[in-house]
Amino acid sequence: MDNHPALDDAFLALADSTRRSVLTRLARGPASVSELAAPSSMALPSFMKHIRLLERSGWIRTHKSGRTRTCVFEPSKLPVVDDWLAQQRALWEARTDRLERFIDLETE
Amino acid sequence: MDNHPALDDAFLALADSTRRSVLTRLARGPASVSELAAPSSMALPSFMKHIRLLERSGWIRTHKSGRTRTCVFEPSKLPVVDDWLAQQRALWEARTDRLERFIDLETE
DNA sequence: TGTTTACTTAGCCCTTGCGCTAAGTGTTCT
DNA sequence: AGAACACTTAGCGCAAGGGCTAAGTAAACA
């Protein structure tokens, strides 16, 4: 369950505020690279690395037309990471439930 | 919202299958380092780096008693990353809703 | 007391992440 | 045609990630 290379990249992509900002912006709709880069005060080549990482990890898709590259959010990644976290929460809650039953037994 | 250094570490911690496995195991209850390391076929010092990173990121807490170090899952990290993803999903859904209304207008 | 156990420290290696500048390519505007 | 624009490529530098071995420490056991 945990040994899932795609999850490595999916989570790594979220481990940077520049990239999280890009995703937040893209969730509202497609944008060009320079639109996305505008708020970031970072050299373009540096910024492009983040775009490539987001693309590699599957969080976005991009296509070039003319001289501008347009980026679009890829929603199918959301359930993948969501599921892992849901499972984690489920395990945790199952455990606290068992603990509570145990305490109930002890104290009755 | 996205510029949150604690999120960097929280997500980075999840970007490795060894660490995800540790969290999965710990969600079921506390364990010693050697218990956690047993399934991993990795040298202990290497494994310990993962434990330290998990601790630094706030996903686990550890304490030593005698010669064994016990690790416990820290549930308070779950809502933090969960919230970010929930917000992301909300933005996306808001957008697709607007899109649908737009299409409805176009086709009626 | 001596040995095993459970880490811990120190140090080395290689790869990747994350930032930069300088210069290049192809498009679009004038 | 020439200039401006939107990337793109190449290359550099430093820090951190992710793995290893060898040797050290402190607790627990025989």
Side-chain angles (χ1 to χ4, degrees):
Chain A
M1 197 265 281
D2 301 304
N3 187 189
H4 185 344
L7 270 183
D8 289 18
D9 276 358
F11 280 122
L12 180 63
L14 301 182
D16 180 281
S17 69
T18 299
R19 290 190 295 264
R20 285 195 302 276
S21 297
V22 167
L23 290 181
T24 298
R25 165 63 189 80
L26 286 182
R28 298 177 190 278
S32 70
V33 169
S34 38
E35 268 177 77
L36 293 169
S40 90
S41 74
M42 184 185 292
L44 235 210
S46 313
F47 188 82
M48 276 300 299
K49 287 195 182 178
H50 291 294
I51 296 295
R52 296 300 186 190
L53 200 157
L54 283 169
E55 195 173 15
R56 177 189 99 195
S57 68
W59 277 107
I60 69 172
R61 277 176 302 109
T62 81
H63 57 93
K64 199 164 184 179
S65 78
R67 61 185 167 173
T68 85
R69 177 174 297 277
T70 304
C71 307
V72 302
F73 183 61
E74 178 57 56
S76 64
K77 268 291 149 177
L78 224 28
V80 175
V81 303
D82 235 32
D83 283 358
W84 190 88
L85 286 166
Q87 176 126 18
Q88 204 62 20
R89 202 185 315 100
L91 287 171
W92 174 253
E93 280 163 8
R95 173 188 133 78
T96 52
D97 284 356
R98 285 197 306 277
L99 248 179
E100 272 162 23
R101 282 202 303 278
F102 175 74
I103 289 164
D104 287 351
L105 283 170
E106 293 281 296
T107 54
E108 86 185 334
Chain B
M1 195 265 282
D2 302 304
N3 187 187
H4 186 344
L7 270 182
D8 289 19
D9 276 359
F11 280 122
L12 179 63
L14 301 182
D16 179 283
S17 69
T18 298
R19 291 190 296 262
R20 285 195 302 275
S21 297
V22 168
L23 290 181
T24 300
R25 165 62 189 81
L26 287 182
R28 298 178 191 279
S32 70
V33 169
S34 38
E35 268 177 79
L36 293 169
S40 90
S41 73
M42 183 184 294
L44 235 210
S46 312
F47 187 83
M48 276 301 296
K49 288 194 180 178
H50 290 294
I51 296 295
R52 296 299 184 189
L53 199 157
L54 283 170
E55 196 173 13
R56 177 188 100 195
S57 69
W59 277 108
I60 69 173
R61 278 177 301 110
T62 80
H63 57 94
K64 199 163 183 180
S65 77
R67 61 186 167 173
T68 83
R69 177 174 295 277
T70 304
C71 307
V72 303
F73 183 62
E74 178 56 57
S76 65
K77 268 290 150 180
L78 225 27
V80 176
V81 303
D82 235 32
D83 284 358
W84 191 87
L85 286 165
Q87 176 127 18
Q88 204 61 21
R89 202 186 313 100
L91 287 171
W92 174 253
E93 279 162 9
R95 174 187 131 79
T96 51
D97 284 357
R98 286 197 305 277
L99 248 179
E100 271 161 23
R101 283 203 300 279
F102 175 74
I103 289 163
D104 286 352
L105 283 169
E106 293 283 293
T107 54
E108 83 185 335

